[in-house]
Amino acid sequence: MMQGIVTSRDKSLAGPAHKLPMTIRQRLPKACLTRFDAAPEFLVRAPGRVNLIGEHTDYNDGFVLPMAIDRAVWIALRPRADKLVVVHSLDFGETVEFALDDLQKSRGWAEYLKGVAWGLQVAGCRLTGWEGVMTGDVPIGAGLSSSAAVEMAAARAFAAVSGFEWDAARMARIGQTAENEWVGVRSGIMDQMVSAAAVAGHALFLDARTLSFRHVPMPPDVAVVVLDTSTRRGLVASAYNERRAQCEAAARAFGVKALRDVDWNMLQAGRSGLEEVVFRRARHVVTENQRVLDATAAMRSRDAARMGELFNESHASLRDDFEVTNDALNWIVEIAQAQPGCYGARMTGAGFGGAAVALVKTGNVEAFAQAVETAYRLKSGLEAKIYVCRASAGASVVPLQGQGSIGAQHTSAQDERGFQFPPDNLER
Ligand code: GLA
């Protein structure tokens, strides 16, 4: 197995694909027992995501097509009789404690948990305290939404101990509020929504205005490959918030609620009244929304080649009009696009560093990964991390001691989600 390439089939790392989470499933309850001297009652899991297409469209009330990945945040926990939450992070080697009736802002990983507790209470939920151990394998800062995974795992944990129902859209909104108002990033709803509502084997087509969504099956024989450039930029939050403000300025200039309401003709007609940079921001959003609709249609007709073309166009638009790529992202995308079997590639997530996503013919994946890794090292002097991702299920309460998913009938369509969804959302 090549260095830096992590596939779900890599036995040396995690065992065969369907067993990937088992090591965490077994390890985490034990860690909880050791730390708190009592067995956990719940094990919750919430995945990270890779956005296939629809970048910087969600906060413009537009369309997105993300996919939950087989990398997640997990918490093994048990309720407490008081209002305290005590969480030990295996990854940070740190324990944080906070009181639900006296939440104070601070810094660090626990803010995502606190923010969710705060958001749930503002929304009127009566919360029970809990103690637990947390871990995860979503790379941090790579644009794979480790923070949304923590938020949705926290929401699952609070729902489990406090006994309220899991409503994916409501929980996603609360996660977004935590991110916007507690952590201070004005992010959209995409990451939380896909982490809360995804179905295995499917991407999630989401209308970020209405929150209506469809589970669209992944095309056969196509691998989704994440290419982490290993570059991270500071101040992503301020650059992100600045883009958002520019989009809002453009919407105001067009006299509409959000750029979702602007089409190509309106865009051209309004061009002269807009600052050049604001016009380009708007052009990205207007064209990207159309690309999401086109890519979803292509996915439904199993047309990976068309999806790939749209990926490439999306990247160019993010590079030239929205200006959220860096050299490393542009290099890795160009290298990926030039490989045999690659349908298309683009940056994914907020940008400014982090990862790209490529659609690759299954049979070409190993050679693709090796070629990209080598060429990227030569070009940038950096080591890429390459993840071949499977479309996984959204946040769930995972069976402990072999019983079925808590609070749900287990069907193949529901997988581990642990809640019902309108069946007509699921496409086959
Ligand atoms: C981040 C945000 C999302 C979305 C993307 C860009 O991941 O959390 O809401 O705006 O950036 O598409």
Side-chain angles (χ1 to χ4, degrees):
M1 185 53 59
M2 292 151 278
Q3 206 214 349
I5 297 168
V6 185
T7 77
S8 298
R9 293 177 299 282
D10 184 356
K11 290 200 173 48
S12 64
L13 282 155
H18 66 284
K19 291 214 171 119
L20 181 64
M22 289 308 285
T23 51
I24 293 178
R25 269 185 209 195
Q26 289 159 344
R27 198 158 52 92
L28 209 53
K30 280 195 194 128
C32 189
L33 179 64
T34 311
R35 181 145 296 261
F36 296 105
D37 216 16
E41 292 180 20
F42 303 100
L43 179 60
V44 297
R45 168 194 172 276
R49 63 103 186 90
V50 58
N51 188 17
L52 297 179
I53 196 161
E55 221 62 85
H56 292 275
T57 46
D58 60 351
Y59 55 79
N60 290 297
D61 277 2
F63 306 112
V64 288
L65 186 66
M67 169 189 118
I69 58 174
D70 47 344
R71 290 177 165 263
V73 167
W74 301 73
I75 310 174
L77 71 149
R78 57 196 295 272
R80 289 175 60 105
D82 58 19
K83 284 280 194 185
L84 282 185
V85 173
V86 185
V87 196
H88 179 75
S89 162
L90 290 181
D91 307 318
F92 293 100
E94 195 186 9
T95 304
V96 169
E97 181 177 311
F98 56 87
L100 290 169
D101 46 12
D102 183 25
L103 291 170
Q104 305 288 339
K105 275 191 196 172
S106 150
R107 294 172 80 86
W109 56 271
E111 295 313 292
Y112 297 102
L113 300 162
K114 267 191 226 168
V116 167
W118 171 79
L120 284 166
Q121 294 187 125
V122 168
C125 298
R126 283 177 61 85
L127 300 185
T128 302
W130 50 269
E131 56 199 19
V133 175
M134 181 170 111
T135 190
D137 58 2
V138 187
I140 294 173
L144 300 177
S145 288
S146 55
S147 59
V150 174
E151 288 156 10
M152 291 303 94
R156 265 284 177 200
F158 281 114
V161 295
S162 313
F164 58 84
E165 239 178 77
W166 182 259
D167 171 335
R170 183 164 182 244
M171 293 302 129
R173 277 268 183 249
I174 284 165
Q176 185 195 14
T177 306
E179 189 102 24
N180 292 176
E181 290 175 36
W182 192 271
V183 182
V185 184
R186 298 187 62 215
S187 57
I189 191 75
M190 165 173 69
D191 308 345
Q192 291 80 7
M193 197 63 197
V194 65
S195 184
V199 166
H202 294 67
L204 187 92
F205 169 76
L206 173 70
D207 178 338
R209 169 167 280 171
T210 62
L211 293 197
S212 63
F213 57 87
R214 309 276 303 178
H215 302 287
V216 187
M218 297 300 295
D221 305 320
V222 177
V224 174
V225 185
V226 170
L227 313 166
D228 182 356
T229 61
S230 305
T231 60
R232 305 283 186 265
R233 187 186 131 169
L235 301 178
V236 170
S238 61
Y240 182 95
N241 290 348
E242 182 197 58
R243 293 300 183 287
R244 186 164 176 163
Q246 289 168 330
C247 291
E248 286 164 357
R252 272 195 304 277
F254 282 108
V256 294
K257 182 168 176 280
L259 284 179
R260 150 73 173 271
D261 303 310
V262 175
D263 64 18
W264 181 253
N265 293 336
M266 278 172 79
L267 182 74
Q268 294 306 331
R271 182 169 193 162
S272 56
L274 290 182
E275 234 181 275
E276 202 265 341
V277 69
V278 173
F279 169 75
R280 284 192 288 113
R281 302 298 187 249
R283 182 166 61 187
H284 165 72
V285 174
V286 170
T287 56
E288 184 78 349
N289 272 329
Q290 187 58 48
R291 282 188 286 272
V292 178
L293 298 175
D294 294 348
T296 307
M299 200 157 151
R300 286 182 173 129
S301 46
R302 314 279 192 265
D303 188 350
R306 178 69 188 132
M307 286 179 75
E309 283 169 14
L310 293 159
F311 272 40
N312 296 345
E313 287 170 22
S314 169
H315 184 80
S317 177
L318 288 156
R319 181 190 60 210
D320 303 335
D321 276 354
F322 218 66
E323 295 178 290
V324 289
T325 65
N326 64 357
D327 285 347
L329 282 166
N330 295 333
W331 292 332
I332 213 161
V333 163
E334 271 166 39
I335 290 166
Q337 287 171 347
Q339 302 308 318
C342 179
Y343 293 111
R346 53 179 291 277
M347 60 146 273
T348 186
F352 312 105
V357 58
L359 280 188
V360 183
K361 235 180 229 158
T362 317
N364 289 74
V365 166
E366 290 284 312
F368 169 85
Q370 196 150 33
V372 171
E373 191 186 33
T374 307
Y376 179 70
R377 186 187 305 114
L378 275 174
K379 180 84 188 168
S380 67
L382 297 168
E383 293 297 328
K385 289 203 185 57
I386 302 186
Y387 308 101
V388 181
C389 294
R390 286 185 308 135
S392 98
S396 59
V397 181
V398 178
L400 273 176
Q401 292 119 26
Q403 71 266 43
S405 219
I406 295 163
Q409 286 163 3
H410 205 80
T411 70
S412 59
Q414 281 175 310
D415 197 21
E416 296 178 335
R417 299 165 73 233
F419 64 97
Q420 303 285 341
F421 57 87
D424 64 351
N425 276 2
L426 187 73
E427 299 181 9
R428 290 177 199 280

